């Protein structure tokens, strides 16, 4: 007889939700988290689309440690000395069906874990799972802290840099183009100052994404999220690109903080947290098998993340996948069949949900971003120069705008411009 019905490895967003579903179904569950506390090793920009959380915890707004509801979207293309921004505000952002909140993972992840514990899951923190126990191809448990702990099913939610996915389903480590380096600082400012700078109420805020000079023209981008009394500011740069960059990512972040568009927003702030992490970027084509004999993969260990340049999603996918993993594992345990065939309902459920559907729809987008360097190197400066023709007045006689802008638009080459637009349209 196994020590537990199920073992969940990792307690980010997917893990505790899977544990909650399993424990709620009456199964014995152990969660093993290598951080000293849940959220200690988890890093994200910090925006949660709440639709998937609401399906698991309908009353989450009463006690979840949310920061600010996002009511403004802003996207900026940065040249070294200027920025061109688009802002979007909409009353619909306040509707429960589509709302999103900024979160700090050091606060949010312990809350998620507490929900799993309340349902009956047991937790071990501060211990890494060194390897999986196997009987042939079947996963039968984990080895952690020198102990062997057995289970009828194991749910892997140990992040993008999974040490166990290869052992579980033969998945190789992601390629350099499929992952990115995320670096982030949390900058403290008075709550009212943040509200004033972003023209928001004290419980509402903004999500702001950047491309271009934020990463010195490398594939990736910057982000800025408003919390109650802090701002989360950082960069994401693909590993394949950063190893060829002349400037290290930590210097990129410092330069980003001093950019004329960004500096006024964080002026007077104090850095209270600095962190870095690998981020899944490869989309569907980098996803490992999701099911094996006695094992399921969910969240970033399954490369479930969507970075579209204008929005970044990972937590809502992880929560939904964790819920489906927990439910499928509970069904398999009840039937007495935790083989890959018995757990196959997990992949079918994801296929019917937004998780795999969205990843399928946007399958080509990571490749588009990776193979279109003009998006980061040329077009931000082109946008700046068009805006200069439109808005700067120095007393010299005007020429028709079409004539003033035409040389700027032609600069990257009309054929190249057309190709890039077509590639982007097809990828989306």
């Amino acid at each position: 007889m196994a020590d537990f019905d199920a073992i969940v490895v990792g307690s980010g967003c997917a893990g505790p939700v899977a544990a909650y579903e399993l424990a709620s179904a009456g199964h014995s569950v152990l969660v093993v988290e290598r951080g000293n506390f849940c959220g200690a090793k988890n890093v994200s920009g910090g925006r949660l689309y709440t639709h998937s959380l609401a399906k698991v915890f309908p009353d989450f707004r009463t006690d979840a440690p949310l920061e600010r509801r996002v009511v403004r979207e802003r996207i900026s293309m940065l040249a070294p000395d200027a920025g061109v921004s688009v802002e979007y505000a909409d009353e619909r952002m306040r509707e429960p069906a589509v709302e999103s909140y900024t979160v700090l993972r050091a606060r949010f992840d312990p809350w998620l874990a507490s929900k799993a514990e309340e349902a009956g899951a047991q937790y071990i923190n501060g211990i890494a799972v060194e390897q999986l126990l196997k009987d042939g191809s079947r996963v039968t448990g984990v080895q952690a802290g020198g102990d062997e702990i057995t289970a009828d099913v194991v749910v892997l939610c140990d992040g993008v840099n999974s040490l166990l996915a290869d052992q579980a389903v033969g998945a190789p480590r992601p390629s350099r183009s499929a992952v990115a380096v995320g670096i982030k600082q949390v900058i403290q400012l008075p709550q009212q100052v943040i509200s004033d700078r972003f023209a928001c109420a004290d419980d509402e805020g903004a999500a702001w994404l950047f491309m271009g000079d934020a990463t010195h023209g490398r594939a990736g981008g910057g982000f800025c999220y408003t919390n109650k009394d802090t701002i989360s500011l950082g960069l994401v740069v693909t590993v394949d690109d950063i190893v060829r960059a002349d400037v290290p990512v930590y210097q990129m972040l410092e330069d980003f903080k001093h950019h004329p568009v960004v500096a006024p927003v964080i002026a007077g702030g104090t850095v209270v947290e600095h962190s870095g992490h690998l981020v899944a970027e490869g989309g569907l084509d980098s996803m490992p098998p999701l099911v094996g004999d006695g094992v399921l993969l969910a969240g970033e260990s399954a490369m479930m993340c969507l970075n579209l340049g204008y929005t970044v999603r990972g937590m809502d996918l992880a929560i939904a996948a964790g819920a489906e993993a927990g439910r499928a594992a509970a069904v398999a345990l009840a039937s007495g069949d935790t083989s890959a065939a018995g757990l196959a309902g997990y992949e079918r459920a994801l296929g019917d949900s937004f998780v795999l559907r969205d990843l399928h729809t946007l399958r080509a987008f990571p490749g588009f971003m990776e193979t279109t360097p003009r998006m980061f190197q040329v077009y931000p400066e082109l946008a700046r120069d068009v805006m200069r023709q439109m808005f700067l007045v120095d007393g010299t006689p005007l020429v028709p705008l079409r004539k003033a802008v035409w040389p700027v638009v032609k600069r990257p080459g009309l054929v190249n411009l057309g190709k890039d637009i077509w590639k982007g349209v097809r990828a989306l």
Side-chain angles (χ1 to χ4, degrees), residues 34 57 66 81 123 133 151 155 157 170 175 202 211 237 241 251 261 281 302 339 359 413 424:
R34 64 176 174 163
F57 305 113
L66 307 172
D81 54 352
Y123 262 75
L133 304 179
V155 185
C157 308
S175 67
D202 284 350
M211 63 184 297
V237 190
D241 224 23
Q251 186 61 52
V261 172
E281 289 280 302
S339 67
L359 286 165

Side-chain angles (χ1 to χ4, degrees), residues 138 328-329 331-343:
R138 182 181 184 84
V331 170
L333 287 165
S335 70
D337 180 9
T338 57
S339 67
L343 294 167

Side-chain angles (χ1 to χ4, degrees), residues 47-52 54 60-61 69-71 88-101 204:
R47 182 183 188 174
L48 170 65
Y49 295 89
T50 60
H51 60 97
S52 54
F60 73 91
R61 295 174 188 83
R69 179 168 51 192
V70 175
V71 296
Y88 166 59
D90 192 329
E91 281 299 306
R92 283 208 62 202
M93 291 182 182
R94 296 180 172 86
E95 295 179 9
V98 298
E99 71 181 357
S100 64
Y101 286 85
E204 295 182 332

Side-chain angles (χ1 to χ4, degrees), residues 59-345:
D59 298 326
F60 73 91
R61 295 174 188 83
T62 62
D63 62 342
L66 307 172
E67 293 295 313
R68 292 180 184 241
R69 179 168 51 192
V70 175
V71 296
R72 292 182 182 277
E73 304 271 7
R74 189 180 296 168
I75 303 169
S76 292
M77 300 178 72
L78 298 185
D81 54 352
V84 177
S85 300
V86 175
E87 184 166 307
Y88 166 59
D90 192 329
E91 281 299 306
R92 283 208 62 202
M93 291 182 182
R94 296 180 172 86
E95 295 179 9
V98 298
E99 71 181 357
S100 64
Y101 286 85
T102 55
V103 297
L104 294 168
R105 296 293 296 273
R107 299 174 185 172
F108 183 73
D109 289 9
W111 175 82
L112 266 186
S114 73
K115 294 298 183 182
E117 288 184 297
E118 289 169 9
Q122 298 182 44
Y123 262 75
I124 297 177
N125 287 89
I127 296 177
V129 174
E130 294 129 10
Q131 65 180 45
L132 298 176
L133 304 179
K134 300 188 75 174
D135 181 3
S137 64
R138 182 181 184 84
V139 176
T140 60
V142 302
Q143 181 176 311
D147 294 325
E148 294 187 351
I149 311 170
T150 59
D152 293 317
V153 65
V154 174
V155 185
L156 295 185
C157 308
D158 56 331
V160 63
N161 194 27
S162 175
L163 304 176
L164 306 172
D166 184 23
Q167 299 175 42
V169 292
R173 288 290 184 91
S175 67
R176 295 192 317 192
S177 63
V179 292
V181 175
I183 183 170
K184 168 187 169 183
Q185 290 185 349
V186 177
I187 300 170
Q188 191 166 48
L189 284 164
Q191 182 175 3
Q192 189 60 52
V193 170
I194 294 173
S195 299
D196 291 345
R197 288 181 181 178
F198 287 86
C200 294
D202 284 350
D203 60 345
E204 295 182 332
W208 191 1
L209 299 182
F210 306 81
M211 63 184 297
D213 192 64
T215 55
H216 285 226
R218 294 291 175 176
F223 60 84
C224 175
Y225 296 113
T226 54
N227 307 311
K228 287 180 180 176
D229 59 0
T230 60
I231 288 175
S232 294
L233 187 79
L235 302 174
V236 177
V237 190
T238 59
V239 171
D240 193 44
D241 224 23
I242 197 64
V243 297
R244 295 181 277 111
D246 297 329
V247 178
V249 68
Y250 62 82
Q251 186 61 52
M252 288 183 182
L253 179 59
E254 285 303 308
D255 294 344
F256 179 48
K257 290 167 61 179
H258 289 88
H259 191 279
V261 172
V262 178
V265 175
I266 60 173
T270 302
V271 176
V272 295
E273 180 183 318
H274 184 100
S275 55
H277 208 262
L278 285 180
V279 181
E281 289 280 302
L284 188 71
D285 289 336
S286 65
M287 182 176 286
L290 300 179
V291 177
D293 289 332
V295 66
L296 302 167
L297 279 70
E300 277 205 309
S301 62
M303 304 297 284
M304 294 176 178
C305 188
L306 286 169
N307 184 349
L308 303 180
Y310 56 86
T311 189
V312 181
R313 293 168 52 196
M315 287 186 278
D316 64 321
L317 278 72
I319 290 169
E324 296 295 358
R327 293 166 191 157
V331 170
L333 287 165
S335 70
D337 180 9
T338 57
S339 67
L343 294 167

Side-chain angles (χ1 to χ4, degrees), residues 13-28:
C13 286
V17 176
Y20 171 84
E21 293 289 352
L22 279 156
S24 297
H27 296 291
S28 59

